[in-house]
């Protein structure tokens, strides 16, 4: 089942995770949307995170699930950026990817 997540980045410049190797590098709405979409569609972000673990071979491969059909759109709204992500990934995996990318500097506005 596809779920639609409405996300807000109140201060896009601060929407960075704690590890720069995993964080957003974007500065505009389209770039944030592209980076999140790639994090949902491909295993690249998961593989980078996995490589930082003490025992990468012990990481649950289920944490690297992807949704090749995921879509993300972004729009600038005053100073904030709003994203809408549509994916079949679980809420836990979606939130984990957002924490890697943006740290705690994002808000979940709505789930449909």
């Amino acid at each position: 089942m596809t779920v639609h997540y409405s996300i807000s980045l109140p201060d896009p410049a601060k929407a960075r995770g704690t590890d720069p190797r995993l964080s957003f590098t974007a500065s505009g709405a389209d770039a944030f949307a592209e980076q999140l979409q790639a994090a949902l569609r491909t295993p690249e972000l998961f593989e980078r995170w996995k490589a930082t673990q003490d025992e990468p071979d012990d990481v649950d491969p289920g944490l690297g699930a992807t949704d090749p059909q995921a879509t993300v759109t972004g729009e600038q709204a005053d100073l904030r950026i709003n994203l809408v992500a549509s994916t079949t990934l679980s809420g836990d995996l979606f939130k984990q990817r957002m924490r890697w990318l943006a740290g705690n500097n994002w808000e979940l506005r709505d789930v449909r």
Side-chain angles (χ1 to χ4, degrees), residues 11-37:
D11 186 347
K14 291 183 180 178
R16 307 290 185 253
T18 57
D19 186 336
R21 297 171 291 184
L22 307 175
S23 293
F24 277 129
T25 58
S27 59
D30 290 339
F32 277 106
E34 288 171 15
Q35 289 180 8
L36 176 55
Q37 184 170 286

Side-chain angles (χ1 to χ4, degrees), residues 28-95:
D30 290 339
F32 277 106
E34 288 171 15
Q35 289 180 8
L36 176 55
Q37 184 170 286
L40 301 173
R41 284 185 174 187
T42 71
E44 183 184 337
L45 180 64
F46 167 73
E47 291 297 332
R48 282 188 279 152
W49 171 80
K50 182 178 166 184
T52 68
Q53 302 307 295
D54 292 335
E55 297 292 336
D57 293 337
D58 292 342
V59 171
D60 177 1
L63 295 175
T66 60
D67 174 7
Q69 304 304 314
T71 60
V72 182
T73 58
E75 70 174 19
Q76 187 79 38
D78 291 324
L79 299 177
R80 73 179 45 240
I81 289 179
N82 295 320
L83 302 171
V84 176
S86 300
T87 183
T88 58
L89 292 177
S90 73
D92 288 340
L93 288 179
F94 179 81
K95 290 175 189 175

